[in-house]
Amino acid sequence: NAANGKYRDFTHKHFNWAVPENSLKWPSIEPNRGQKNYQRGLDMLHGLTSHGIKMRCHNLVWSVDQFVQGWIKQLHGQELRNVVKQHITETMTTYQGLCEHWDVNNENLHGQFFQTQLHDQSYNLELFREANAAGSAKLFLNDYNVVASGASTSDYLAQGQQFKAANVGLDGMGVQCHFGSEQRPDPNTIKRRLDQLAQCGVPIWATELDVMSSNENTRADFYEAALTALYSHPAVEGILFWGFWDQAHWRGDKAALVKGDNLQLTAAGQRVLDLFENRWMTDESHVLSQAGNQLTVRGFHGDYQLHVMYQGRELSNLKQTFTLVKGSTKTVNLNVHT
């Protein structure tokens, strides 16, 4: 319908990464044994990547009991191991080339179904080994109460260090960042928890950010506080929201950036777009009138487009795209023949 089309267009215009909320989860793919449907996920991934959006894929396994299909709970021993390995291999093969990241074993701090069912506390490491062998995507842990709350921060660091020491292919740590209702994010507290997790030595991604307030302006302040702390931290390489439209957000209108069938920007949405597309965007123009001119630009990390104008028109053959990444400089050469 029209509203869904506007939702899609807003995503294409304002975001460069996305994550499916449910379509790639095992219960969505195979609710009953042998009844598999990968097409919904394929349609979503192809649609988004065709617009230049990179994908975090979520998730291969979810070990919290309530999210494990009933038919899987009936399996034990080698049969369970074989079924899990087949799912991981088949899923990563099906979506190969479409997923930049995979959350391998979601919320493993808070659920250990497979480890318990198999009487094997090291099975969570085996899941990473199997995923590492099945595809080329970067592999992540993903958990909550590690930044928005500190209840599990120390345990998460210990888990990350365990996985890194085991050399099973841990490429990053996902921190969900679901802040409580009317909870004002404190940048100093966020920084302290991120500093602690950064001791693991792998990149951190904020994977499921949302805040909640019934007051749009307060919500805008909450998002700005959280985003500033996350965006400025050297260990954080990416930030994803866990929804932004009031009609498709698990926490409803109190967390939304846009609302209604027309996707009207809330005060929070206006603030977020101002951060992303104005205050945290490098947009510079320079005049080069002599051969051999050089200039230096200090810019935010991210993707860039360079356009060359001559006598009021763009020289489209000289357009360049490049990425500025942490810890490096980028040299761009131009040869203008008029």
Side-chain angles (χ1 to χ4, degrees):
N1 60 32
N4 286 341
K6 291 178 180 179
Y7 174 74
R8 177 199 61 214
D9 294 343
F10 189 95
T11 300
H12 295 164
K13 180 178 180 180
H14 296 292
F15 299 111
N16 56 8
W17 280 79
V19 53
E21 188 170 359
N22 292 306
S23 297
L24 305 186
K25 292 173 179 172
W26 196 354
S28 297
I29 293 171
E30 192 177 12
N32 301 299
R33 189 169 189 177
Q35 298 178 359
K36 302 176 185 180
N37 184 355
Y38 287 102
Q39 194 58 49
R40 183 183 177 195
L42 284 169
D43 291 344
M44 180 179 291
L45 295 178
H46 281 298
L48 287 161
T49 57
S50 71
H51 285 81
I53 295 176
K54 295 180 180 180
M55 299 303 304
R56 291 200 84 253
C57 291
H58 172 85
N59 52 57
L60 291 171
V61 168
W62 197 350
S63 286
V64 177
D65 283 39
Q66 72 187 87
F67 302 114
V68 178
Q69 304 97 298
W71 66 268
I72 292 177
K73 291 181 178 179
Q74 305 304 312
L75 305 180
H76 300 271
Q78 193 59 46
E79 182 181 18
L80 178 57
R81 291 178 185 269
N82 291 343
V83 165
V84 172
K85 183 175 182 179
Q86 180 186 14
H87 168 71
I88 289 174
T89 302
E90 188 174 278
T91 301
M92 292 192 71
T93 300
T94 300
Y95 298 130
Q96 179 67 25
L98 296 169
C99 298
E100 303 289 330
H101 299 173
W102 268 108
D103 291 330
V104 177
N105 187 10
N106 194 44
E107 298 175 356
N108 186 213
L109 284 181
H110 297 89
Q112 296 85 36
F113 167 80
F114 294 95
Q115 292 155 274
T116 301
Q117 189 88 335
L118 292 167
H119 307 289
D120 181 357
Q121 285 305 301
S122 67
Y123 184 64
N124 54 355
L125 297 172
E126 183 63 23
L127 291 170
F128 265 74
R129 292 188 188 98
E130 292 172 355
N132 197 36
S136 58
K138 293 182 178 180
L139 306 180
F140 278 69
L141 295 166
N142 188 55
D143 230 306
Y144 62 93
N145 285 349
V146 296
V147 169
S149 159
S152 299
T153 307
S154 295
D155 290 340
Y156 200 36
L157 172 60
Q159 186 181 66
Q161 291 171 330
Q162 176 197 18
F163 275 68
K164 188 177 180 184
N167 196 30
V168 293
L170 176 67
D171 294 303
M173 299 180 74
V175 296
Q176 292 186 8
C177 297
H178 297 297
F179 289 86
S181 180
E182 305 298 339
Q183 175 191 357
R184 179 179 296 274
D186 177 53
N188 291 324
T189 302
I190 294 171
K191 181 183 183 301
R192 185 175 69 252
R193 291 168 182 161
L194 291 171
D195 286 346
Q196 185 176 356
L197 294 174
Q199 294 174 35
C200 185
V202 297
I204 296 172
W205 281 63
T207 54
E208 305 182 17
L209 173 64
D210 47 43
V211 304
M212 288 187 72
S213 178
S214 57
N215 183 293
E216 287 189 14
N217 292 305
T218 301
R219 192 186 321 148
D221 292 340
F222 287 3
Y223 271 120
E224 181 170 0
L227 286 167
T228 299
L230 292 165
Y231 190 78
S232 62
H233 197 281
V236 176
E237 292 193 355
I239 304 168
L240 290 97
F241 297 99
W242 203 242
F244 62 88
W245 182 25
D246 66 339
Q247 297 184 26
H249 201 300
W250 76 296
R251 304 181 85 176
D253 60 345
K254 293 181 180 180
L257 302 179
V258 297
K259 62 184 179 181
D261 289 345
N262 290 321
L263 276 77
Q264 177 184 347
L265 283 169
T266 65
Q270 293 173 9
R271 184 80 60 84
V272 167
L273 290 189
D274 182 53
L275 292 173
F276 287 175
E277 299 176 3
N278 182 21
R279 285 190 269 168
W280 295 345
M281 180 78 74
T282 304
D283 185 3
E284 297 194 13
S285 298
H286 298 270
V287 177
L288 299 179
S289 58
Q290 299 176 5
N293 269 6
Q294 297 183 0
L295 61 93
T296 300
V297 175
R298 185 174 185 269
F300 288 104
H301 298 151
D303 300 326
Y304 283 78
Q305 288 187 347
L306 184 149
H307 301 266
V308 178
M309 305 294 295
Y310 179 72
Q311 294 184 347
R313 63 182 180 88
E314 182 179 356
L315 303 179
S316 57
N317 61 309
L318 296 179
K319 177 181 175 181
Q320 295 189 38
T321 59
F322 60 91
T323 301
L324 187 62
V325 299
K326 180 175 65 176
S328 68
T329 59
K330 181 70 178 180
T331 300
V332 179
N333 296 311
L334 286 172
N335 292 305
V336 181
H337 300 283
T338 59

